[in-house]
């Protein structure tokens, strides 16, 4: 793959990370209150979602760096 392909791929992955982060912050937070009665479990699930979005962003940025 050439550099441009890596840049586009990284941008798509990073964009998805932003979308999933926003989804987690707005939709999942409210949904988790209905799904998990136990506050400790709910906080862990929300933290897992946040960590996943962060890791996806790191991977997107790494792929962009490869393209550069």
């Amino acid at each position: 793959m050439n550099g441009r392909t890596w840049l586009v791929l990284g941008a798509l992955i990073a964009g998805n990370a932003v979308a999933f982060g926003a989804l987690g912050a707005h939709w999942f937070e409210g949904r988790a209150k209905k799904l998990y009665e136990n506050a400790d479990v709910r906080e862990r699930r929300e933290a897992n979602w946040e960590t996943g979005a962060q890791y996806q962003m790191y991977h997107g940025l790494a792929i962009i760096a490869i393209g550069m």
Side-chain angles (χ1 to χ4, degrees):
M1 289 198 283
N2 63 19
R4 175 172 284 202
T5 304
W6 287 109
L7 290 173
V8 170
L9 181 62
L12 290 172
I13 291 172
N16 278 335
V18 171
F20 287 132
L23 187 68
H26 299 288
W27 177 80
F28 185 71
E29 184 178 5
R31 183 83 172 139
K33 290 177 184 173
K34 295 177 184 175
L35 291 174
Y36 308 108
E37 293 178 12
N38 186 325
D40 292 334
V41 172
R42 184 172 56 243
E43 288 175 10
R44 283 197 312 261
R45 298 297 183 256
E46 290 172 355
N48 288 345
W49 189 291
E50 182 180 347
T51 300
Q54 287 176 351
Y55 285 176
Q56 186 169 356
M57 178 59 80
Y58 298 150
H59 284 92
L61 294 174
I63 292 173
I64 289 171
I66 289 170
M68 295 174 91

